[in-house]
Each structure stands twice: as structure tokens, then as C-alpha cells.
Amino acid sequence: MANPASAEDELEATVAAVRAEPSTRHLLVDLLAESSPVYEGRGMATTARLRGWVLAAFEDVGLPAEACPYVLEELEIGIEPHLVAAAARAARGGERHPELGPCLLAAFENLVNRDDTVTFEAFRPRWPPERPTTALLEILETVRWLGPVGPVTAADWRDQQQRHGDRLSGAVAAALAETVVAVDGPAPALMGCCGSPEPSLGDEEEPVPRGWEGVVVEDQDARRYPLGSLLSNGPTVVAFFYTRCPNPNKCSLTIRQLAEAQRLLIDQSIDDQVGILALSYDPGYDGPDRLLRYGQDRGIRFGPTARLARAVAGHDQLRAGFRLRVGYRDTIVNRHAIEVFLVDSAGVIVATWARRRWDPAEIVGQAAALTAGPKVTPDRLPIPSDRAETGYESTRPQ
Amino acid sequence: MDAEDYRTTYEAEVEAAKKKAGEPTSRAKGGSSRGPTTASLLKTIRDPQARTADRTAAIGELSPRARSQAKVIETLIALLADTEDSPAVRTAALALLGELSFAVGEFQPHRSAYRDALRAAATDPDRKLRERVLEILALQGDEYAQRLIVEGLQEPSQALIHERKAVQYLSYDVHGEHQDVLRDVIDRSANKHVRNGALRMLAADSGSKDLFAQIVQDKDEDVEARSISAVALQSLAPDEFASAARDVVLDDDDDDEVRAALLTALRQDERRYDSDLGAELSRRQPTMRSAPLAKAAGAYIARSTEPDGEPG
């Protein structure tokens, strides 16, 4: 693991160099990847400060298309004030486009009870800052910068005034009033979408079957299977999550949406042909009992084609195979994206939904299109726990 | 003196006594209409020339209705952030703000300013005040507070709080990155309470299992440290624990108290039984000097005959 202090200094130096030469702004995009070495070993709060420093720089150096997914993600589902404020600033370095409006509205809703003073005046700021701001103030400034660009309108912001006015600080309330006026007008013609989507698995011209040999998973009933065997009987919707995730817009919502996808599959009578599998980023902590409770509390109906599981062998291979958007401090997640995959029975990842909120109906539609042939009864036997490979042991009596 | 005069005099004496003791008066409790108004209380609270006791009493006398008023909350927050004002008065303001912060709806418009004031007070000249402030911020997972605490552990001359408090506050955030700092504290601190506190905080950290294994087997280590490490290692890495514990148990030169504790822990692991260890203990038990060790050995040996035991 790189020395944390030196990695942090390198990040600061890189951002400073890009500020001095904005044409090199693409160098900052690499620093946004969750698995970037600069975040390895860092805690969640420090990771947020470092990412915020990178994001905020885009306001001044320009926002490249490749960075747009990160900005939209943070606005749509982020709850950390420093990061959301940085994303709002970053947006102002890019093009005005309609996709920003709904994300900014979502950001306001997410932060209305979480607003906090932030500052971008120094890499390691001290208090009290000379140039303080807040997440809500930055969001509203970006809304005013965006102007009356649909589909979000002044009426939506007036609705925010009515619903949340009594819990806003004086400064934010004034900024919101100013914003309502600023966006009250006819929307201009729609512009193009925000930059290019992030390259994802499933986009390749010739997707490669993933070899999952060596990956063994343990499900909520403490039964163990080779991952390949769980994927081989039909298309599978594979999502990643962990029970200690502090953001309700990420993992908790992901599992609830998987439950919704399961209901749609049941309604279409193809739940025995399409698998639902949620794998934990946190295999050392998310044992069977936790997996069981977490899934039940969010509506998952467990069965042969619907499981929550953790890797008890081959977690690194899993991480590499799915190119997971996750970073760790030792074994604890410090940052991750929403990510859901559709995997066919050959183990090929045919589609990816990452960073943004996803529609269960869309995924179910694509999964249904992959189903073909007669119903196949799952014929997988669990691995006896006394022959399991790693230090993880089944916590349930067999 | 008639009864009414006596009563009025008596009530005034009671109110004066309460005020002197810093207790809420009847007016503050919504009782008698006599007593200072919110405006006069705020005037006293804001006045740096007023007596400290009067100012802290005035904070205590604010009625429940007054406390939810924006101008009162703003006054208290400004007081907290003013590092040149009286620490005692600011501590009283902090205590009341802490209570008020639980009223989510009413306090929400002030929450950012409150956290700003907390951060400003985190480096306050008054040690007790900054301890309280840093604990509140640490409980909230505040990055600035964590950074200040870590800086203090890395450079003790800059420490804002005692090392033991620093270790405790860092442990509040399970997503924090304090593990390296805590391991450094364990490595260099001469204070066994601080070291043992840091060991407890690392108990769930898989990156520390080698450290725990080393401490368990180190005869020069503090007995409590070895016990803490044994418990942690057994949870994190049962196989490594069994191996390390076995070596200690069979070392007649090691501390008998530690040997007995480790043997008890080995016995409680229902999934394994070391028959070689059991046989060796059977041979040594008759000559064991320590009664607790002999008893623990006997209990371990007895596992070989239990119906659900699986001879290794």
C-alpha cells in the first residue's frame, strides 16, 4: 500500500498541475475511479475530502465528458455535503444540459437535512475558513447558472420552498428565493446529453466469458457454491452491495429495487429462469445472518434463484472480473458506486448499469429477452462446509 | 408581617437562592411570571463584563419556549465560537446547544452554523472545552476533527487532547482510517492504559492480526494486553490463535495466568480439539503449580471424552 501521506501529496500536486495547465484536465478523471491507488487505505471521510478536491477543480479547468458520470452520480444520490458541493461546482465547468436539472433537484432533496459548511480554499482546510459555503448554496448557484433549462422548472423550486422553507438557514432561504426568480422563464431548446457514458462491461464488441473458477460464494442460508454454478442456469441479475453502507440511496435502495425486479419476474412467471444474486463488497462482515436479515427487510423472497451472498474464496478475482467500482481501507469499503450487471448463462456480462439510479423494469426486460428454451431446475449442490477453502466458516449448524 | 407579605418575601428568597445555585427559577419553568425576560437573559449572556456565574445562570434560566427561538440559538452558537470569551460560559452554551440539537425540525436551520462553531472550538485554548467539542465532532464522523486528532497522535507536541481520549474518539468511526495511527500508538506509548485502549479499538481490524499474534506470544507484554490480543485474534483468525495459544500454553516459563486464560479460550472453541495438546496437558497436569492453570487443563482434557467432541 502506498504511503497515505505521500499519495495525498501526489493528488494535491496533480490537481495543482492541472489547474496550471487546464488542457491536461483528463488527468483528473483517473483520480475519480473508486479503485484508484490514491484512496487505498484511506477512510471514508478522508476519501470524500480528496475526491471533493478533485471534483471542485473541474469548475476552473473545465469538465471533460468522461467526468460527467461522476458528477451526475454525486448529485443524484450523494449525501456527503463536501462531495455534493464539489460536484455542483464541477458541473459549472461543463456544458449546460437538461440532465443536470433533475440531478440538482435530487441533490437539494438529499441535502436539505444534511447541509453543512464546506470550503475549497485549501487542500487541508482549517476552521474557521475564510471562504465558507454550503452544499445547498453550491447546488442553488449551479441551478441559477443552468438557468431555465427543462425539465425542472421554477415550480419545482417553489415546491421546495413550501416543503422545506422552515428548515433552511437564512442564507439558503434567500438563495432559494433568488433561484426561483432566476429559473422562472421559458426553457430554451434542449441540448445534447451530458458527455459520454462511462465505458462498461457489456459494451465490448466481443464480450469475453468470465472465468469464475476459484470464486466460491456463501449465501444467506450459509450454503456454499462455486459462483459459476449459480450463473450457469440462465441469465442472472448480479448487483453489489454491503450492509454497512451509510448511504440509503445506494445499497439499501439497490436491494429494494432487486426485490422489485423479482416481483416483476414473478408476475411474468419467469422467476425460475432469471436469477437474482446480490454479492457483498464486505465479505468479512456480511455473514449469512446479516445477509438474511438485510434481504428480508427489503423484500427479497429467497429461493433457488434469489440469493444474497458473499465471496468466501476468490473475492479479489470477483473484484477484478466485474471491474468493481469500489475502494477499500483494509477490508472496509471507503467508497463505491451503484453497479448492477446482467450476466448470461455462459458467464458473459452482457450489460452494466452503474452510478445512476436504474429501472428494475428495464433490467427485467433485458433479462427476459435472454431467456429461451425449457425451464431448467437448478441442480447445484452446496459445497460441504468442512471442505470450504478459506478461513470463513459457515455460521449455521449443518 | 401578614401572611401575604410573608409569602412574597419567602418566594423571593427561594428564587434568589435558585439563581445563586444556577438552578432554573420558577419563571424558567413556566411558573411565576416574575423574573427576567428572555431579552434581559440574553443581554446578560452576551455581556462579557457580567459575572460568569450570572451568565451561566442566565443560560440555565432560559425557558423551554425561549430556547427554541432563533435569536437565542444564534446567541449560543456565537458564544460557542468566540474563543476569547469565558470557557465556563461557552461550556454552558455548548451543553444547552447539545440538548437543542435533538429537536431536528427547529434546530435544522442552525445546524451548519452549530457545526462551524464546534469546529472553531476544536482548537480552543481551554482543554476541557475542546475535549467535549472534539468528542461531539468525532461522534459525527467529522473529517476535520479526525484530522486534528490524528495530527496530535502523530506529533504529541501538537496534541489537543490526551492520548487516551484521542484513541477513544477515533474509534467512533468504523469507516475511519485510524488503524495505522493506533498501531503506532501501541508501538510507542509507554502508558499501558492507552495501549490497551488502542488494542481494544483494533479488535475488529483484520489488518492487525499479526500484531495481536505477536503480543499474545510476548512474555514481556502486559498481561491485560495479551488477554485483549488473544480475544481479538481468536475472533479474527481462529487458526492462528490456536497455534499461538498452544505454544504459550506449553511454555512452562510463561505466565500461568495467561496460560490458563488461553487454555480456557481454546477449550471454548467447539469446532476444534487438539488431542496432542490434550495428551501433553494430561502428562503435565499433576505437576502444575498454578491451581487455575491445572483446572483449565483439566477442563480441556475433559473435552476429549465429551460426546460431541471431535478428536483432532
Side-chain angles (χ1 to χ4, degrees), chain A residues 42-44 49 116-117 329, chain B residues 116 119 143 175-177:
Chain A
R42 308 318 305 264
M44 195 173 274
R49 175 172 62 83
D116 195 9
T117 301
R329 192 271 298 148
Chain B
D116 285 345
R119 290 181 183 129
E143 187 271 337
H175 288 101
E177 61 185 54

Side-chain angles (χ1 to χ4, degrees), chain B residues 246-261:
Chain B
R246 185 184 196 282
D247 291 344
V248 173
V249 164
L250 293 178
D251 184 352
D252 288 336
D253 292 330
D254 209 321
D255 184 281
D256 286 341
E257 182 183 344
V258 173
R259 296 167 73 196

Side-chain angles (χ1 to χ4, degrees), chain B:
Chain B
M1 180 186 293
D2 67 11
E4 184 60 31
D5 288 341
Y6 177 77
R7 180 178 166 208
T8 303
T9 303
Y10 175 74
E11 283 182 351
E13 287 174 353
V14 168
E15 292 295 287
K18 284 182 179 176
K19 187 174 175 182
K20 187 175 180 183
E23 291 177 14
T25 62
S26 297
R27 173 169 172 74
K29 293 179 189 173
S32 166
S33 62
R34 288 185 284 269
T37 61
T38 300
S40 66
L41 289 171
L42 282 180
K43 186 178 176 188
T44 302
I45 291 168
R46 289 175 184 143
D47 182 5
Q49 306 304 317
R51 293 188 331 139
T52 298
D54 289 341
R55 296 175 76 194
T56 56
I59 291 174
E61 286 183 48
L62 290 165
S63 69
R65 181 180 296 178
R67 291 173 183 190
S68 62
Q69 294 176 14
K71 61 183 177 182
V72 171
I73 297 175
E74 287 161 7
T75 296
L76 296 174
I77 290 174
L79 197 54
L80 174 60
D82 186 354
T83 56
E84 297 189 0
D85 208 323
S86 157
V89 176
R90 295 166 65 216
T91 299
L94 175 62
L96 183 51
L97 284 167
E99 289 178 31
L100 297 175
S101 69
F102 284 100
V104 176
E106 288 165 348
F107 198 78
Q108 193 56 42
H110 310 282
R111 202 167 295 278
S112 292
Y114 173 51
R115 284 192 72 164
D116 285 345
L118 288 172
R119 290 181 183 129
T123 52
D124 198 83
D126 186 81
R127 182 183 61 81
K128 284 187 180 175
L129 181 60
R130 59 177 189 257
E131 252 182 32
R132 293 193 189 192
V133 163
L134 281 169
E135 182 169 28
I136 293 170
L137 288 170
L139 283 166
Q140 296 173 1
D142 185 73
E143 187 271 337
Y144 179 56
Q146 291 177 356
R147 187 153 34 99
L148 289 175
I149 294 171
V150 168
E151 286 173 1
L153 286 173
Q154 292 171 333
E155 188 55 56
S157 64
Q158 294 179 17
L160 297 168
I161 52 178
H162 191 277
E163 204 173 28
R164 193 190 311 185
K165 293 281 185 189
V167 166
Q168 176 188 339
Y169 295 174
L170 285 181
S171 74
Y172 292 157
D173 183 4
V174 70
H175 288 101
E177 61 185 54
H178 48 273
Q179 282 71 13
D180 287 341
V181 173
L182 291 177
R183 283 192 280 268
D184 184 56
V185 166
I186 293 164
D187 191 44
R188 61 166 172 77
S189 179
N191 184 319
K192 75 169 188 176
H193 298 296
V194 170
R195 291 184 79 241
N196 292 343
L199 281 170
R200 287 192 186 89
M201 299 310 156
L202 288 174
D205 177 40
S206 60
S208 298
K209 64 183 173 72
D210 290 344
L211 172 66
F212 292 133
Q214 174 200 320
I215 292 176
V216 165
Q217 298 179 285
D218 187 353
K219 287 182 239 190
D220 294 329
E221 269 289 356
D222 169 65
V223 169
E224 188 178 356
R226 296 177 79 184
S227 294
I228 296 167
S229 298
V231 170
L233 186 62
Q234 188 174 34
S235 173
L236 290 170
D239 290 342
E240 290 183 43
F241 169 75
S243 174
R246 185 184 196 282
D247 291 344
V248 173
V249 164
L250 293 178
D251 184 352
D252 288 336
D253 292 330
D254 209 321
D255 184 281
D256 286 341
E257 182 183 344
V258 173
R259 296 167 73 196
L262 294 181
L263 197 45
T264 301
L266 284 172
R267 183 198 176 282
Q268 289 169 347
D269 184 349
E270 296 180 352
R271 289 168 292 193
R272 70 185 82 220
Y273 177 77
D274 185 343
S275 57
D276 290 340
L277 176 61
E280 185 58 28
L281 289 172
S282 293
R283 192 180 69 76
R284 298 187 188 195
Q285 188 190 25
T287 57
M288 284 179 176
R289 296 184 303 272
S290 160
L293 180 59
K295 184 178 178 184
Y300 190 88
I301 295 163
R303 275 208 53 199
S304 66
T305 60
E306 288 173 2
D308 58 344
E310 289 187 24

Side-chain angles (χ1 to χ4, degrees), chain A residues 1 18 63 67 87 92 104 131 133 141 144 155 165 181 185 209 228 235 282 287-288 307 312 317 333 347 366 379 395:
Chain A
M1 183 179 78
V18 172
L63 183 69
R92 302 200 288 267
L104 289 165
R131 297 190 296 277
T133 180
E141 182 170 343
R144 293 193 296 276
V181 172
D282 195 4
R307 308 172 197 273
V312 292
Q317 185 184 348
V333 175
Q366 290 203 28
D379 187 25
T395 58

Side-chain angles (χ1 to χ4, degrees), chain A residues 255-256 259 262-263 294-301:
Chain A
I255 302 302
R256 284 191 276 121
Q262 185 182 32
R263 280 190 288 275
Y294 199 84
Q296 283 178 336
D297 288 349
R298 286 154 184 81
I300 295 286
R301 295 192 223 178

